Amino acid sequence: MTRNNTIPQDPVPFSGITVLIVGLGIAGLTAALECSRRGHKVIGFEKKKDTNQLGDVIGLSGNSMQILSQWDPGSLAWLLDEDIICAVEALELHDTAGTIRAAMPYHPESPAQGYLFRRTGLLKKLHQLAIRAGIDLRFGVNVMRYWEDADKAGVYIGEDTVVGDCVIAADGFYSAGRTAITRENPVHQPIGAVMYRAIFDAQEIAHVPEAEWLLKEAPTADLLPSFYGKDVMVMMGTAAKGRYVHWACTIRGEAQQASEAWMQPASVEPVLDCVRNWPAASKLNAVLSRTPPGACFNHTMLATAPLRTWVSEKGRLVVIGDAAHPFLPYAGQGANQAIEDAASVAICLERAGKGDVPLALRVFEKLRHKRVSLIQEGSAEAKDSFLQANWDSDDEADSPSAYMHQSWVYNHDCVQHVVEEFQTAADAIRHGREYIPTNVPVDGKYRQQ
């Protein structure tokens, strides 16, 4: 492989392992890159025709950014493109009157804060890296079925079979592979809230005097204020130094027009109605009401209990990312844990080798399941902190920012953890012993007491 400024690495000997990856979102593309870096042959499948994905802004904290930084040791220049990042200098949390109730400087290099990206821009970057790395990615392909035996695993595409040593299903919240792999069909429970999102060209508000406040830092920086009221949270900001406007609104309750499917076209009117009586309504409405037709999407927010297992019976099929552990957005860890999954499974395959792929996937599960399940549960637990917004309470736990900084989450080095713990977990599996995870708080709670 030729060294360049994208995924520079010295050639790695072929491990002999062929990995099939289904779903080429953040989890799948990262898994493809990480497996390729470890010497595995990768074939990726995506039912969509390209990498375009609905959504607004996504945050990557220190635990995932340190993985991406290894692709060009000592530099993140390949990723920190002005067109896809949010150059935010401060975080401000407001009440419904627009009064700042909490503020802090924003330092992307801080593990707890991390970088903010346009979701589609990030995916395109990952896709470009994978193409330059020579990875076989096949778009517009619908995987119909999965299979495994003692020695191989594969997928059916129509009547054709593609064979590998293992299959990684990274096909998201509504994973088609999850039931086939885990024999579980999880129930997605509505949490009583609906999310609305939009992202559009800033020219839509560039000549609106009442919206000038949101573009005041352009073209040198971005803004990201959040507004919290009872049962409503609105986050509004810019990206690419004022080139794009994005906003997200969570509303407690059930919306008649909200769909359980991811990101369905929606009207902005329910959001306008929710903030209409806020003292800060005029400044918010100046932006919300200029959302172009077709740019607003919503979905019912659903919680899912942790799966019992992520690995198939014969140990050659595995789920990662949202297919394994869908998150609510309040912990800010959906993409971060997907990237941790990707790096971890690639290393486990490298350590176990072609002769023991099932052991690799089972060790991966041992090292990751407890940690991710705890964060998954924490993302649901944090909901009320964000939607109650009791600014006058003496209890810090009632503040919307109370759940934002869990150091055991953001400071974790999953690569080092796998290196250190692989053999211990492997021995526990071989000898039928309990494995005690070391990457979670000793009290077993999401929030350290």
Side-chain angles (χ1 to χ4, degrees):
M1 187 177 300
T2 303
R3 184 177 179 87
N4 53 44
N5 289 327
T6 53
I7 188 159
Q9 58 183 28
D10 295 327
V12 176
F14 177 39
S15 68
I17 298 172
T18 296
V19 181
L20 309 184
I21 299 176
V22 181
L24 297 175
I26 290 175
L29 284 172
T30 308
L33 286 158
E34 283 290 302
C35 285
S36 178
R37 290 182 67 237
R38 301 284 169 180
H40 315 319
K41 177 182 177 181
V42 175
I43 305 174
F45 306 96
E46 170 56 53
K47 65 181 179 181
K48 294 186 304 174
K49 294 183 179 180
D50 53 40
T51 58
N52 287 321
Q53 188 175 97
L54 297 174
D56 42 20
V57 170
I58 192 166
L60 298 184
S61 48
N63 47 313
S64 64
M65 287 299 292
Q66 66 181 325
I67 294 168
L68 305 187
S69 69
Q70 297 306 304
W71 296 352
D72 187 358
S75 172
L76 279 167
W78 67 270
L79 181 59
L80 303 184
D81 187 325
E82 283 192 355
D83 187 56
I84 71 169
I85 66 170
C86 299
V88 176
E89 297 179 346
L91 293 180
E92 295 179 349
L93 281 62
H94 302 247
D95 60 21
T96 59
T99 302
I100 297 176
R101 290 302 194 104
M104 67 192 80
Y106 191 83
H107 301 294
E109 67 278 5
S110 166
Q113 294 180 327
Y115 290 84
L116 297 169
F117 298 91
R118 287 194 302 112
R119 182 185 292 269
T120 293
L122 175 61
L123 280 169
K124 287 182 177 178
K125 281 285 186 183
L126 296 175
H127 178 243
Q128 289 168 3
L129 292 186
I131 294 300
R132 288 174 183 148
I135 300 173
D136 183 355
L137 303 181
R138 307 177 188 181
F139 287 82
V141 174
N142 192 16
V143 170
M144 306 301 293
R145 287 183 291 149
Y146 296 73
W147 63 270
E148 66 175 340
D149 59 28
D151 301 313
K152 296 288 182 181
V155 297
Y156 285 96
I157 299 170
E159 297 300 319
D160 297 327
T161 303
V162 183
V163 180
D165 294 286
C166 64
V167 180
I168 297 174
D171 51 342
F173 189 93
Y174 291 102
S175 170
R178 178 170 48 218
T179 301
I181 292 170
T182 68
R183 307 301 182 197
E184 296 183 59
N185 189 16
V187 176
H188 305 304
Q189 295 285 357
I191 67 167
V194 177
M195 172 76 82
Y196 290 78
R197 289 177 170 168
I199 185 166
F200 50 90
D201 195 297
Q203 286 300 312
E204 298 287 344
I205 66 168
H207 305 294
V208 180
E210 297 87 351
E212 288 180 352
W213 66 274
L214 190 59
L215 300 178
K216 67 180 182 179
E217 298 298 332
T220 59
D222 291 303
L223 294 180
L224 189 65
S226 298
F227 300 80
Y228 296 83
K230 180 175 174 53
D231 300 333
V232 180
M233 177 185 74
V234 178
M235 181 185 74
M236 186 173 286
T238 59
K241 296 184 177 179
R243 287 187 56 192
Y244 302 91
V245 168
H246 62 89
W247 60 262
C249 176
T250 304
I251 302 171
R252 195 194 297 270
E254 305 295 338
Q256 292 182 353
Q257 301 302 317
S259 168
E260 290 189 2
W262 173 248
M263 303 295 280
Q264 295 299 300
S267 168
V268 73
E269 286 301 321
V271 181
L272 292 171
D273 288 342
C274 281
V275 303
R276 198 176 304 280
N277 295 322
W278 288 11
S282 61
K283 66 187 298 183
L284 297 177
N285 288 351
V287 177
L288 295 170
S289 64
R290 268 73 181 188
T291 302
C296 178
F297 297 83
N298 74 3
H299 63 95
T300 297
M301 298 184 71
L302 304 172
T304 307
L307 296 172
R308 177 185 55 82
T309 183
W310 300 344
V311 181
S312 62
E313 182 179 354
K314 293 184 173 66
R316 289 188 177 268
L317 312 173
V318 66
V319 287
I320 69 169
D322 282 349
H325 44 74
F327 284 86
L328 291 168
Y330 303 110
Q333 282 294 303
N336 292 286
Q337 293 307 309
I339 292 172
E340 283 193 22
D341 284 350
S344 299
V345 74
I347 300 171
C348 286
L349 287 167
E350 177 188 49
R351 292 280 166 138
K354 183 178 176 66
D356 215 339
V357 168
L359 176 68
L361 300 189
R362 288 173 177 137
V363 168
F364 161 75
E365 181 185 51
K366 289 288 186 186
L367 297 179
R368 298 284 301 150
H369 193 278
K370 180 62 176 179
R371 169 177 168 80
V372 177
S373 296
L374 206 55
I375 301 171
Q376 186 180 5
E377 292 171 344
S379 70
E381 179 186 338
K383 176 194 68 171
D384 286 340
S385 175
F386 284 85
L387 292 180
Q388 285 177 346
N390 188 356
W391 291 110
D392 299 319
S393 172
D394 292 330
D395 186 351
E396 183 185 352
D398 291 334
S399 166
S401 63
Y403 280 76
M404 293 177 66
H405 302 293
Q406 303 299 316
S407 61
W408 69 273
V409 175
Y410 303 109
N411 290 324
H412 181 59
D413 184 339
C414 75
V415 173
Q416 185 64 30
H417 180 74
V418 174
V419 170
E420 293 175 349
E421 290 289 307
F422 180 89
Q423 197 58 52
T424 301
D427 288 345
I429 292 169
R430 289 189 181 107
H431 300 292
R433 296 196 300 262
E434 179 185 8
Y435 173 74
I436 300 175
T438 61
N439 54 0
V440 296
V442 293
D443 63 6
K445 298 179 180 178
Y446 172 72
R447 298 181 68 195
Q448 294 173 282
Q449 303 300 313

